[in-house]
Amino acid sequence: MKKILSLLVKKNIIRFFDFHFSTIIAKENEEELMFLASCVSNFTWRGNICLPFIFLKKKMFLSKKILNV
């Protein structure tokens, strides 16, 4: 998950702060928690207090089009 989140940072989809926050909140083997922590951090920074359920689908947030893989 760290590799994917690092790629999202490079593509300016999430901030480095969101990535770092997720690594503090989640342990290495808690990939889902790490992903959600980065989303919550990013959405809070953007002024949202809720995380839309649509973003919980990895297919949308981590699509090949976004990641360019």
Side-chain angles (χ1 to χ4, degrees):
M1 181 56 63
K2 281 185 176 182
K3 188 175 181 179
I4 293 171
L5 292 176
S6 294
L7 185 56
L8 293 175
V9 170
K10 286 181 183 179
K11 296 199 173 271
N12 293 319
I13 296 171
I14 64 171
R15 302 169 301 153
F16 179 75
F17 181 87
D18 304 325
F19 170 77
H20 186 65
F21 175 75
S22 71
T23 61
I24 292 171
I25 296 297
K27 296 177 184 174
E28 189 70 35
N29 61 344
E30 298 176 317
E31 291 186 356
E32 292 85 5
L33 181 58
M34 187 177 287
F35 174 74
L36 289 174
S38 67
C39 289
V40 168
S41 175
N42 189 269
F43 267 70
T44 303
W45 173 73
R46 294 174 188 269
N48 298 307
I49 59 170
C50 298
L51 183 63
F53 284 118
I54 192 80
F55 278 88
L56 300 180
K57 292 184 177 182
K58 285 186 178 182
K59 288 181 182 178
M60 179 176 177
F61 193 75
L62 301 176
S63 71
K64 289 183 179 181
K65 184 177 180 183
I66 290 173
L67 296 177
N68 230 2
V69 292

